[in-house]
Structures are given as C-alpha cells and as structure tokens.
C-alpha cells in the first residue's frame, strides 16, 4: 500500500509537469514558427477542451478499466502528445496534438482524485496536490534550463515526455497493486447502474458542488494570471518585482497545501474549506486597501495560502457528499467545471478591466470567493453519509 501511495505521489508530480510548459515555451515557439503571440491562446483552448471531454468520460472509463489502467493509459497518451510537441515544426501540428494532450490529462485527474478520496485520508489529498504544485514548478524550470542551454523548446518537451514514459512503464508494471486496495477496482468490468448526466445533476448538492469547483479554479487562475499586472499598474512596482510577487502566490498554494496536510489531522474537510475561504478573503481585502506595495504583496500571498486547502478538501469530501457509488461520475463533472472556470474567468476579467481598469481585480476576486462560499455552505447542509 505504501508503494502504491508513492506511485500516486509520483503521478501527481507528473500531472503538474506539463501544465505550465506552454506558457514557459510559447515566447520561443511563436518566434520560431512565425505566428502571433495570441495564437498561444488557441492551443491552450484546445488542450482545455480535450481535458473537459475526458473529465466527463472519466466515469465510464474508470468503470470499464479501473483507476490503474486509466491512469497508465492517460499518462501514456500525455507522454505521446508531449513527444509530438517536441517534433512539431508547424502551428497546425501543435493544434492537432493539443487535443490528445488535453484528453490525457482530464480522465487521470478525475480518476486519481476520486481514488484518493475513497481510499486515503484528507492529509494525503492535500499533500498530493502539493506535489502537483512541485511538478507544475519543475516543468517551466526544465524548459528554462533547455532554453538557456541552447537546446530549444523542443528539447524541453522531449525531456518531460521521457519522464512521462518512465512513469507509464512503472504504472503498467504495478497495475495489480491498484486492485489490492479493494473498492471499485475489484469491480472493473462489472455492470454498475449509472445515473447518467441528467440524473447526477439532479442529485441534491450537485449544482452547488459544480459551481464551487468552477469558482475555485476561476479564482486560482484569475488571481495568478493577473497578479503581476495589478501590482504594476495599481501598486506601481516594477515588472520584475511584480513577477516575484506573482510567483509567491503559487508558492503560497504549494507550501499552504504542505501545511494543510498536518492541519487536516485536527480539522475536517468542511472546516478546511471555510478556513481557506476566510484567509483568501482577508488577502483580497489587503490587496484592495491603498496602503502600500508590501501590504498588497502580503495580501497576494495570503490569497495563495487561502486557496491551498479549498480544492483538496472539496475533492476529498465528494464521496461523503454523493456516496462512493456516484463519486467517480461527480468527480469527472467537477473536474470539467473546474477547467471551464479556468478558461472563462481570467479572460472575463480581462474584458471587464478593459472598461474599468485593473483596479477591479480584487473586487472581482472577492465576488468569486463570495459565490464559492455560498455554494460550499449549501454543500455543508447536505444530509449525506458522515454528516451529523
């Protein structure tokens, strides 16, 4: 069991590795391929579309194959897509390969999160997402090392692909270990009555859960994407200093999840979500106060720290809210809504700030937190298993 958990931790690092690669490599890619900078958004959208599709299909795939096989196959698809990126020489090729790139991520994300929610304690969910943050940080570092060394962006994708291939081999070799945990893995290939998309949405609390995930990922992505712009335009810091503060936002999430793994030994998931929302709201208020650069920077870090416990706690509570038999299907829908949030909310702020100015940034974040809090509290009132 401990070896399987170590493999799952490695898989979460693997999940994070490709996530920030496009942003790190795109300045070099668009120059080499002679395409506008804005075309990076097209590739990002295609990847997100693939991820949403595979997230929604994760329940069917996991029922037929089991979490172990879904994880192994998904990582293999991602590895192949990364290799495809490494040999691409045209923008059209990148667009074609972007779809399997996204397809490989969605199903494994939903399957792994559900497996951990069913079989492991809350602290592991928090620490696993901390490891995702490590992977997301390592990806750009590896790409930067390849670019600095003169090997080109293709080599960066190739290195990450090789790491994914190695993990794929480990996953296929250890497939039998997933079944030893019991639960749904022993039921793979059996017929389990599924509620279907409409039936799942009609479940008590489903709409609130989907909205909460949409809001959380919209909050995280928007806060991170526009942080530097806000610090430069509203707080008058230099671009270099603003970039440092923005990186501290992500560091706040990663370190926060490490700390929250220990805090979960004292607090339940519901309390962890409330704690995170309170800290995030406090950080946003510091961002909004016209009281100097340092206070705004501290507020930004606080927003990151506040984000840290929310996502893992909401994920871990899914089987409690909806039952183990429905958790995989709901998990896939939650992942899909989360990815939609990352696609919709940041550009929406960009449109609004074009009319109002970037000063609206903390107000926008506060509205997201408020809606997420309302949805989370609706979930807390569910009369599900494990609730008083």
């Amino acid at each position: 069991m401990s070896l399987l958990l170590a493999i799952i931790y490695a898989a979460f690092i693997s999940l994070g590795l490709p996530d920030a690669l496009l942003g790190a490599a795109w300045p070099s890619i668009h120059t080499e391929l002679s395409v506008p900078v804005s075309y990076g958004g097209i590739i990002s959208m295609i990847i997100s579309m693939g991820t949403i599709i595979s997230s929604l299909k994760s329940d069917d795939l996991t029922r037929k194959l089991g979490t172990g096989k879904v994880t192994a196959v998904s990582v293999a698809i991602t590895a192949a897509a990364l290799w495809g990126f490494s040999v691409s020489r045209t923008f059209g090729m990148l667009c074609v390969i972007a779809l399997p790139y996204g397809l490989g991520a969605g199903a494994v994300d939903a399957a792994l999160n559900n497996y951990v929610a069913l079989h492991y304690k809350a602290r592991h969910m928090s620490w696993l997402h901390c490891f995702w943050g490590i992977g997301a940080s390592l990806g750009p570092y590896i790409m930067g090392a390849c670019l600095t060394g003169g090997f080109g962006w293709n080599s960066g994708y190739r290195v990450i692909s090789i790491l994914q291939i190695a993990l794929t081999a480990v996953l296929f070799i250890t497939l039998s270990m997933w079944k030893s945990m019991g639960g749904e893995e022993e039921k793979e290939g059996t017929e389990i009555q599924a509620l279907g998309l409409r039936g799942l949405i009609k479940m008590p609390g489903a709409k609130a859960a989907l909205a909460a995930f949409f809001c959380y990922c919209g909050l995280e992505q928007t806060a991170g994407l526009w942080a530097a712009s806000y610090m430069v335009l509203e707080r008058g810091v230099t671009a270099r200093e603003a970039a440092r503060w923005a990186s501290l936002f992500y560091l706040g999430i990663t370190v926060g999840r490490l700390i929250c793994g220990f805090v979960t030994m004292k607090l339940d998931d519901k309390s962890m979500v409330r704690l995170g929302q309170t800290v995030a709201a406090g950080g946003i208020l510091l961002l909004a106060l016209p009281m100097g650069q340092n206070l705004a920077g501290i507020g930004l870090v606080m927003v990151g720290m506040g984000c840290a416990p929310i996502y893992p706690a909401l994920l871990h509570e899914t089987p409690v809210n909806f039952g183990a038999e429905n958790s995989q299907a709901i998990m896939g829908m939650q992942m899909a809504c989360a990815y939609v949030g990352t696609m919709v909310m940041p550009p929406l702020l960009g449109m609004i700030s074009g009319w109002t100015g970037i000063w609206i940034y903390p107000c926008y974040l506060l509205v997201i937190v408020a809606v997420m809090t309302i949805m989370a509290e609706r979930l807390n009132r569910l009369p599900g298993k494990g609730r008083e």
Side-chain angles (χ1 to χ4, degrees), residues 264-277:
T264 56
M265 299 177 190
K266 298 292 184 181
L267 299 179
D268 61 10
D269 291 325
K270 176 172 62 176
S271 299
M272 293 300 294
V273 172
R274 286 172 172 164
L275 175 63
Q277 290 166 345

Side-chain angles (χ1 to χ4, degrees), residues 72-84:
V73 171
S74 297
V75 175
I77 292 172
T78 304
L82 289 166
W83 190 272

Side-chain angles (χ1 to χ4, degrees), residues 77-107:
I77 292 172
T78 304
L82 289 166
W83 190 272
F85 263 57
S86 76
V87 298
S88 293
R89 293 295 181 269
T90 66
F91 178 74
M93 282 185 67
L94 291 177
C95 289
V96 171
I97 298 168
L99 186 59
Y101 194 127
L103 288 172

